Amino acid sequence: MRGLTDGRTPGETRRTTQAASTAVAVFVALGVSLTGCGTGGTGARDEGPARADAVGGAASSSPAPAAKASPSTVPDRVDAVRLVKADPKVSAEVKRELKPCVADEYPIDVSYGRLTGGSVDDVVVNVLTCGDTVGVGSYVYREEDGGYQNVFQAEAPPVYAEIDRGDLVVTKQVYDKEDPVSSPSSDYVITYRWASGRFTEEYRTHNDYSKAAGNAPTPAPEPDG
């Protein structure tokens, strides 16, 4: 072992290394502090905005001018549960499934992103089951005239929708008769793109999963004696 070749125990080597590291850290911190003072307090922010906790703990000789805020295109967080329940296009089966799992926690995932070319981010909603989190419905809502309109839905479970670089990607899992919920046999991954006021399928892939992986036979116990 390397720690024993110079006559020192591993503990002594570790303490020596820690002491040297501490000295280097103090020297570097002092150098950074002096550099910040020499640049008028802006050197620490030359490579990007400082974190809020760092700004709160740092003293400044004069406050920096406030940056002009750009208008946000991200919508306020929507009440996705209310949105789905009030949507006449959503099936009664999905609405029945949309109930609290624990206290007021609903089995619902919500994503925001640009899909339809609007001035405000679209909203993607996935409704899941409580027990095994299987997707039972996926929806895209577009902001129009101060409200949200359902412009896409898929209700053939298991299904799940995501935003991928401006495209809508929907995954549909396929189960054989004996498959457990945790292990589908295959899936379809379908990519949709917004064009002419609606989503159109661009392409799809089909993936088959191995039945052997994770199912190696257990070796028989050796006989006694």
Side-chain angles (χ1 to χ4, degrees), residues 83-94:
L83 189 63
V84 170
K85 287 188 173 182
D87 186 352
K89 294 182 179 180
V90 176
S91 68
E93 290 79 9
V94 171

Side-chain angles (χ1 to χ4, degrees), residues 8 15 45 54 60 67 126 152 157 165 185 194 198 201 210 213 215:
R8 291 181 293 177
R15 287 194 294 272
R45 281 185 264 177
S60 177
N126 287 285
F152 177 90
R165 291 169 292 184
S185 292
W194 183 261
R198 64 189 183 93
E201 182 178 328
S210 170
N215 294 319

Side-chain angles (χ1 to χ4, degrees), residues 28-145:
V28 172
L30 180 59
V32 171
S33 176
L34 293 175
T35 302
C37 293
T39 56
T42 62
R45 281 185 264 177
D46 286 345
E47 296 184 1
R51 290 173 49 193
D53 53 352
V55 175
S60 177
S61 58
S62 60
K68 184 178 180 180
S70 58
S72 175
T73 59
V74 179
D76 294 333
R77 180 174 295 182
V78 302
D79 186 342
V81 173
R82 182 177 180 181
L83 189 63
V84 170
K85 287 188 173 182
D87 186 352
K89 294 182 179 180
V90 176
S91 68
E93 290 79 9
V94 171
K95 290 181 179 180
R96 281 197 300 268
E97 197 70 46
L98 187 53
K99 55 188 176 182
C101 298
V102 178
D104 59 349
E105 295 294 329
Y106 285 83
I108 195 167
D109 289 346
V110 185
S111 301
Y112 302 89
R114 293 294 185 89
L115 286 171
T116 66
S119 59
V120 175
D121 283 357
D122 304 296
V123 183
V124 177
V125 180
N126 287 285
V127 179
L128 316 169
T129 60
C130 283
D132 43 30
T133 63
V134 170
V136 296
S138 299
Y139 311 90
V140 177
Y141 291 94
R142 172 184 167 90
E143 193 276 336
E144 294 180 3
D145 300 326

